[in-house]
């Protein structure tokens, strides 16, 4: 299930679980789009030298300004040679509009045209942007046009031959010899006509339609493959055997950069192209594109984008020095978003466990397909005769308009849940596990993934959607606090987030959301582990509707187990706030509290602090009512509440006879009590008296708020007392002659 609406009552729609004989589904119905691209056409024959018209039909579902952005990264471009074209039009709801652009085909090859449509001023309750693309393979006589709307070739010449299966042959040379020092690889015995030096630098990027404004992103986590090719026969070849980084492939970095660099003796006569094909998967998902390639190699089948989203470089075998820089490859917005966002979704769980995930996480099949749903995670099982029993297949299906991180990480969160329950079909079955627990987990996981991606990589967090920090404090259209009557999934997702996030959470919390709405911090991995322990917890018996409210108490009790009593109390209050809603959640504890005694008046204690209030939308924060100040005379005494301080974020002066003589602590509070982790004040003085290089020859008492003393000589049978009201700091040597004495108070 995935959400894309702004306020909680609209965010967390009731999930639909379809339990079939052979499949389990986790789904949610799609919301409306502000703009729909309903058709893309090429009018004319896109062969080299021709001009054709690109027509885009789009439907508008809300009044507003529609901006269309076209990206022409290759050889099909407008007459003026521009790589980008933008237009804006004021549109009316229900209207269907057509944009026409005349483009020319400058040379043979394959080209991508990517189109993004967005309405920035659309209501927050609907998706504001969408993207579609076409790929055009164009020669001097033949052509073919692939549309992302139909997922098929929609137009091609009669003589065009499809070539989606590539046999990638590697040379007859022995495998490379590479030692642990990562020196340049060498071949054993090679006979070749020439020795080539290869150096290629470039990027693989896409336009992220889900960012505002649209932003270029790297296809992080994927691979790019290097081969030589004969343009006439399409024979694909690499002289080296094996699979080596920067020779056969490179990993695409966060910003999209890649590099190939190596030397090789080889006979490359008959080859006139270098092809760089972009892989269509990453370490977490496998993904086949309808207009991409399947490469049959000695390493098995590899799936890649097609030529239009790769690079075809000119190669002359008589030139042995081959160098290209600035090879900028652009893939389409939909698939670029899918793969980058799935990389973040998978990386989260790996980082959460410091690289050692305690359960198996094989790659999951990813499919992009138009659907009534944002996304679907499904487990398919088929009966197998040999070996006897069921075989299970997992799949994530994403609608082309919802390739954002919110949706992709939500569905991947379902997959994490399935795998942490050991891929147990029966445990994940809704008849055995609470639907609300599963969906609540996925909503939580999505918000956690967006926080991680924003903090580490700067990707947009879509901060107005499915915010489980703000969720419990939103108001629905019926005037009731949303946590009163919201679906149980929303309650559980917010409970998980309250237990998960902290005041300072390193790479796991976006800088947008500093502060907190609760007093719990530092339990991120425990949230995962307790969820993992829920594999065999069945919902309690009762009508289907009541299933949504099951298993929360089990999760909470397991989470509290083994923790100290005060933490258990905070966890229980968070549960009571979100599930039965019978008390207020404890507020975040204040931070950076200091206590300063005034040297001019030792009866005055000035306290300074900063609060930890959530810095998102302040309307949806759990602000403390104020602060409780406690004092005690010694460690053996009990704490006594001496002052209730009104809410502020600054300072407060407490007056008491000999204020310096007590210990103090301070805590945030609300109607449910004091927050966990009260702050013990380390008293200092506003003025330090420095006493250095002094000689005392008579009885003396040296007093002050705070004394800093060093290099002191006491002689002539003198008795000297150093009495710092708050403290006395010794920073240097003392010389006390026989018969003299010193006392430090």
């Amino acid at each position: 299930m995935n959400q894309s609406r702004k306020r909680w009552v609209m965010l967390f729609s009731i999930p639909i679980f379809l339990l079939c004989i052979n499949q389990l589904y986790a789904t949610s119905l799609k919301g409306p789009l502000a703009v729909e691209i309903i058709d893309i056409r090429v009018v004319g024959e896109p062969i080299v030298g021709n001009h054709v018209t690109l027509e885009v039909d789009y439907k508008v579902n809300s009044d507003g300004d529609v901006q269309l952005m076209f990206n022409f990264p290759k050889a099909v471009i407008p007459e003026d040679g521009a790589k980008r074209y933008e237009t804006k039009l004021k549109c009316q709801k229900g209207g269907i509009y057509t944009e026409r652009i005349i483009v020319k085909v400058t040379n043979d090859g394959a080209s991508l045209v990517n189109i993004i449509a967005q309405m920035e001023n659309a209501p927050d309750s609907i998706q504001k942007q969408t993207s579609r693309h076409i790929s055009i393979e164009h020669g001097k006589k033949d052509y073919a046009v692939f549309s992302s709307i139909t997922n098929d070739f929609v137009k091609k010449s009669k003589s065009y031959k499809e070539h989606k299966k590539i046999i990638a042959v590697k040379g007859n040379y022995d495998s490379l010899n590479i030692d642990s020092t990562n020196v340049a690889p060498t071949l054993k015995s090679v006979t070749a006509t020439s020795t080539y030096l290869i150096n290629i630098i470039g990027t693989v990027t896409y336009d992220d339609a889900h960012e505002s404004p649209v932003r270029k992103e790297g296809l992080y986590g994927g691979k790019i493959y290097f081969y030589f090719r004969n343009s006439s026969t399409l024979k694909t070849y690499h002289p080296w055997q094996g699979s080596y980084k920067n020779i056969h492939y490179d990993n695409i970095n966060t910003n999209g950069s890649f590099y190939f660099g190596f030397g090789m003796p080889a006979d490359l006569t008959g080859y006139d192209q270098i092809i760089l094909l972009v892989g269509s998967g990453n370490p977490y998902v496998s993904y086949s594109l309808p207009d991409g390639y399947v490469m049959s190699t000695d390493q098995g089948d590899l799936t890649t984008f097609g030529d239009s989203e790769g690079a075809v470089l000119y190669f002359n075998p008589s030139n042995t020095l081959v160098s290209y820089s600035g090879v900028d490859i652009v893939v389409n917005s939909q698939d670029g978003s899918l793969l980058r966002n799935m990389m973040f979704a998978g990386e989260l769980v790996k980082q959460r466990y410091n690289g050692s995930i305690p359960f198996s996480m094989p790659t999951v099949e990813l499919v992009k397909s138009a659907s009534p749903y944002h996304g679907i995670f499904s487990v398919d099982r088929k009966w197998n005769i040999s070996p006897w029993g069921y075989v299970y297949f997992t799949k994530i299906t994403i609608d082309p308009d919802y390739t954002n991180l919110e949706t992709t990480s939500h569905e991947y969160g379902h997959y994490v849940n399935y795998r942490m329950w050991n891929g147990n079909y029966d445990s994940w079955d809704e008849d055995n596990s609470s639907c609300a627990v599963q969906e609540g987990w996925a909503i939580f996981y999505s918000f956690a993934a967006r926080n991680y991606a924003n903090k580490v990589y700067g990707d947009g967090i879509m901060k107005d959607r499915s915010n489980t920090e703000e969720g419990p404090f939103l108001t629905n259209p019926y005037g009731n606090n949303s946590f009163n009557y919201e679906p149980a999934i929303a309650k559980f997702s917010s409970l998980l987030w309250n237990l998960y996030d902290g005041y300072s959470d390193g790479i796991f919390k976006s800088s947008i959301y500093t502060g907190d709405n609760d007093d719990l911090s530092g339990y991120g991995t425990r949230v995962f582990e307790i969820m993992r322990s829920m594999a065999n917890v069945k919902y309690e018996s009762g009508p289907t509707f009541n299933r949504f409210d099951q298993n929360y108490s089990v999760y909470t009790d397991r989470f509290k187990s083994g923790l100290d009593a005060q933490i258990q109390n905070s966890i229980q209050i968070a549960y009571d706030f979100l599930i039965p809603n019978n008390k207020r959640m404890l507020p975040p504890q204040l931070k950076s509290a200091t206590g300063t005694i005034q040297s001019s008046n030792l009866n005055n204690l000035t306290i300074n602090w900063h609060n930890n209030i959530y810095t998102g939308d302040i309307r949806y924060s759990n602000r403390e009512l104020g602060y409780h100040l406690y004092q005690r005379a010694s460690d053996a005494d009990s704490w006594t509440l001496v002052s209730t301080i009104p809410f502020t974020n600054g300072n407060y002066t407490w007056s008491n006879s000999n204020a310096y003589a007590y210990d103090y602590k301070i805590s945030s509070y609300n109607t449910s009590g004091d927050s966990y982790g009260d702050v013990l004040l380390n008293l200092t003085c506003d003025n330090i008296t420095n006493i250095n290089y002094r000689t005392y020859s008579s009885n003396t008492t040296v007093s002050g708020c705070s004394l800093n003393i060093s290099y002191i000589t006491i002689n002539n049978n003198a008795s000297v007392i150093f009495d710092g009201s708050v403290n006395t700091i010794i920073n240097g040597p003392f010389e006390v002659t026989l018969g003299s004495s010193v006392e430090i108070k």
Side-chain angles (χ1 to χ4, degrees), residues 119-278:
M119 181 185 289
E120 280 298 312
N121 57 352
D124 290 331
S125 59
I126 64 177
Q127 177 99 346
K128 296 184 179 183
Q129 66 284 312
T130 187
S131 68
R132 293 292 186 272
H133 63 277
I134 59 169
S135 296
I136 305 173
E137 298 188 12
H138 40 83
K140 295 180 175 62
K141 295 181 180 180
D142 298 326
Y143 65 87
V145 180
F146 175 89
S147 169
S148 63
I149 294 177
T150 61
N151 281 341
D152 200 359
F153 282 101
V154 295
K155 183 177 183 180
K156 54 190 175 184
S157 57
K158 292 182 179 179
S159 58
Y160 176 79
K161 296 181 180 179
E162 294 187 26
H163 48 88
K164 294 305 161 189
K165 182 76 172 181
I166 296 179
I167 306 298
V169 178
K170 294 183 180 178
N172 294 321
Y173 305 144
D174 292 332
S175 297
L176 300 177
N177 297 318
I178 299 180
D179 65 24
S180 59
T181 60
N182 291 320
V183 298
T186 61
L187 284 172
K188 294 181 180 177
S189 176
V190 176
T191 301
T193 58
S194 303
T195 297
Y196 293 88
L197 296 177
I198 308 294
N199 189 75
I200 300 174
I201 299 172
T203 59
V204 182
T205 61
Y206 68 97
D207 287 337
D208 193 341
H210 303 294
E211 296 280 1
S212 183
V214 172
R215 189 171 77 180
K216 180 182 287 188
E217 305 277 20
L219 192 67
Y220 171 52
K223 280 184 166 61
I224 184 167
Y225 300 97
F226 178 106
Y227 282 93
F228 295 93
R229 186 169 71 179
N230 183 303
S231 61
S232 298
T233 65
L234 300 182
K235 180 181 178 182
T236 304
Y237 174 70
H238 197 297
W240 298 108
Q241 291 182 357
S243 180
Y244 296 98
K245 189 175 184 293
N246 304 121
I247 297 175
H248 297 95
Y249 73 92
D250 194 18
N251 297 318
I252 301 171
N253 295 319
T254 307
N255 63 357
S257 62
F258 67 85
Y259 166 71
F260 289 98
F262 56 96
M264 60 178 185
D267 181 0
L268 294 174
T269 55
Y271 295 94
D272 59 351
Q273 292 179 341
I274 292 173
I275 61 166
L276 303 178
L277 294 177
V278 178

Side-chain angles (χ1 to χ4, degrees), residues 393-426:
F393 305 92
T394 54
K395 181 170 66 177
I396 293 174
T397 304
I398 303 293
D399 183 87
D401 292 311
Y402 292 90
T403 59
N404 54 63
L405 182 54
E406 180 184 27
T407 300
T408 53
S409 58
H410 178 107
E411 299 306 331
Y412 195 85
H414 280 308
Y415 178 59
V416 171
N417 181 193
Y418 177 74
R419 293 307 311 174
M420 66 169 45
W421 289 355
N422 298 316
N424 190 311
Y425 184 93
D426 293 324

